[in-house]
């Protein structure tokens, strides 16, 4: 039996909200054995109080980094130095870097050059260079929304009784997006890539293993996660495309099923 892979979890508390901790730890545990769990930030700042209850509950080791300069993330250099120390002194198979900061792009590239798997986690605003530098990237705000659907909140009574007057304008102005916002890969682009991969890699009858197709998509789009599009399994996402069809065959052991996919015949 193959040994479980070991990972180092490194969280940038300056750049990630504590509300994501449940998703972060759950996603990390699905990868393997998280032997190193560190979280970096200025713990003397009141803004970090929301994290403190989560430290013991999730066995996170807080690393103190004082903010000597206003507006400058103090955790970046400490995380990078520690990651390189872990690379050379600890037996880990991969790193899980939790941040929405592009400053970790070069680190992710360097770790992968050394043969380590790098899984990134951050919000959808994370710059593309860091997303693409990771082998996989989990979009935390999308996963959080799937786990915590927004609930309708009734306005307080004093506000409901007030008459609200709006000054009409010629047209509504679009809400300005952060300049570094990077939405997840468009589903149409995923579908077009799937069809292209099928054309290039299917057998003479047009069939291709679903698992092989999924691996190729993950390598092409590090931020790909079928849950981003409302599906819990890759097969369900594929079945939602009217251009494609799937079939299930018995495996050699006669117990499990092998799923194949191809273009739907006219």
């Amino acid at each position: 039996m193959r040994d479980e892979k070991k990972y180092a979890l490194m969280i940038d508390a300056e750049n990630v909200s504590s509300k994501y901790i449940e998703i972060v730890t759950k996603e990390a545990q699905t990868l393997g054995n998280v032997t190193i769990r560190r979280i970096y930030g200025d713990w003397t700042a009141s803004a970090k109080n929301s994290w403190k209850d989560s430290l013991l509950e999730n066995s996170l080791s807080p690393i103190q980094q004082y903010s000597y300069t206003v507006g400058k993330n103090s955790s970046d250099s400490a995380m990078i130095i520690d990651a390189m120390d872990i690379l050379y002194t600890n037996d880990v198979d991969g790193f899980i870097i939790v941040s929405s900061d592009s400053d970790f792009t070069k680190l992710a590239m360097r770790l992968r050059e050394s043969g380590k798997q790098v899984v990134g986690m951050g919000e959808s605003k994370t710059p593309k260079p860091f997303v693409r530098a990771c082998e996989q990237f989990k979009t935390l705000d999308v996963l959080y929304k799937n786990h915590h659907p927004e609930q309708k909140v009734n306005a307080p009574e004093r506000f409901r009784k007030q008459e609200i007057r709006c000054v009409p304008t010629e047209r509504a102005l679009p809400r300005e997006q952060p300049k570094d916002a990077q939405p997840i890969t468009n589903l149409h682009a995923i579908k077009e890539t799937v069809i292209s991969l099928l054309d290039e890699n299917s057998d003479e009858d047009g069939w291709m293993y679903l698992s092989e197709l999924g691996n190729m998509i993950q390598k092409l789009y590090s931020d790909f996660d079928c849950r981003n599009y409302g599906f819990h399994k890759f097969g369900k996402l594929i079945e939602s495309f009217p251009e494609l069809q799937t079939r299930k065959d018995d495996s050699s052991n006669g117990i499990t099923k092998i799923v194949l996919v191809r273009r739907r015949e006219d």
Side-chain angles (χ1 to χ4, degrees):
M1 183 177 177
R2 186 180 178 184
D3 293 336
E4 190 176 28
K5 288 187 175 182
K6 293 185 288 187
Y7 289 85
L9 172 63
M10 311 183 79
I11 302 174
D12 177 9
E14 305 287 347
N15 243 308
V16 175
S17 170
S18 60
K19 70 180 182 180
Y20 298 129
I21 186 59
E22 180 182 352
I23 295 174
V24 168
T25 54
K26 182 178 179 181
E27 293 294 324
Q29 289 166 355
T30 61
L31 294 169
N33 184 15
V34 184
T35 57
I36 298 173
R37 299 170 178 239
R38 298 179 185 176
I39 181 167
Y40 299 76
D42 184 358
W43 303 106
T44 63
S46 58
K48 297 297 176 293
N49 289 339
S50 61
W51 272 107
K52 292 180 180 178
D53 291 337
S54 302
L55 301 183
L56 287 176
E57 294 176 6
N58 296 279
S59 301
L60 297 172
S61 298
I63 307 298
Q64 172 63 35
Q65 281 300 115
Y66 291 100
S67 298
Y68 295 108
T69 304
V70 177
K72 179 66 177 176
N73 189 345
S74 60
S75 300
D76 292 6
S77 57
M79 283 182 63
I80 293 171
I81 292 171
D82 279 7
M84 296 307 295
D85 284 343
I86 293 170
L87 174 64
Y88 290 112
T89 61
N90 289 270
D91 182 21
V92 296
D93 299 293
F95 291 79
I96 304 167
I97 302 174
V98 185
S99 179
S100 299
D101 194 339
S102 63
D103 289 348
F104 296 106
T105 301
K106 188 64 177 179
L107 173 63
M109 295 170 62
R110 177 63 182 84
L111 295 174
R112 293 188 67 182
E113 286 176 359
S114 296
K116 303 299 182 182
Q117 182 184 14
V118 178
V119 177
M121 298 186 193
E123 293 184 308
S124 53
K125 67 180 182 180
T126 306
K128 280 295 183 183
F130 177 49
V131 174
R132 290 172 177 162
C134 300
E135 190 171 338
Q136 296 181 39
F137 189 87
K138 308 291 184 180
T139 310
L140 294 176
D141 47 337
V142 176
L143 295 177
Y144 183 85
K145 186 176 181 180
N146 291 341
H147 283 80
H148 303 82
E150 294 181 356
Q151 298 180 355
K152 184 177 180 181
V153 180
N154 293 325
E157 185 69 22
R158 66 180 184 276
F159 292 126
R160 290 202 298 269
K161 290 182 177 180
Q162 291 179 354
E163 180 182 358
I164 301 176
R165 296 181 179 180
C166 299
V167 179
T169 58
E170 184 175 350
R171 64 176 181 175
L173 296 176
R175 181 179 295 178
E176 184 178 356
Q177 296 292 329
K179 62 181 180 180
D180 59 348
Q182 298 287 347
I184 59 177
T185 303
N186 184 277
L187 185 57
H188 178 73
I190 296 293
K191 182 176 72 171
E192 292 299 313
T193 303
V194 164
I195 293 174
S196 177
L197 289 173
L198 282 171
D199 291 341
E200 297 172 2
N201 299 279
S202 59
D203 62 20
E204 58 184 12
D205 294 321
W207 292 102
M208 181 178 179
Y209 289 117
L210 181 68
S211 58
E212 182 183 3
L213 178 62
N215 289 335
M216 289 183 174
I217 289 293
Q218 185 69 74
K219 290 178 180 179
L220 290 171
Y221 301 100
S222 58
D223 65 339
F224 175 77
D225 190 320
C226 57
R227 293 171 296 178
N228 293 344
Y229 311 99
F231 298 91
H232 290 288
K233 293 185 178 181
F234 181 60
K236 294 297 183 182
L237 184 148
I238 292 298
E239 290 173 357
S240 72
F241 298 148
E243 300 90 345
L244 306 178
Q245 65 180 114
T246 61
R247 86 163 195 247
K248 294 182 179 180
D249 291 348
D250 290 328
S251 62
S252 57
N253 59 24
I255 300 175
T256 58
K257 293 287 186 179
I258 297 175
V259 182
L260 298 99
V261 58
R262 74 173 180 182
R263 278 179 179 259
R264 187 177 297 278
E265 295 180 338
D266 297 332

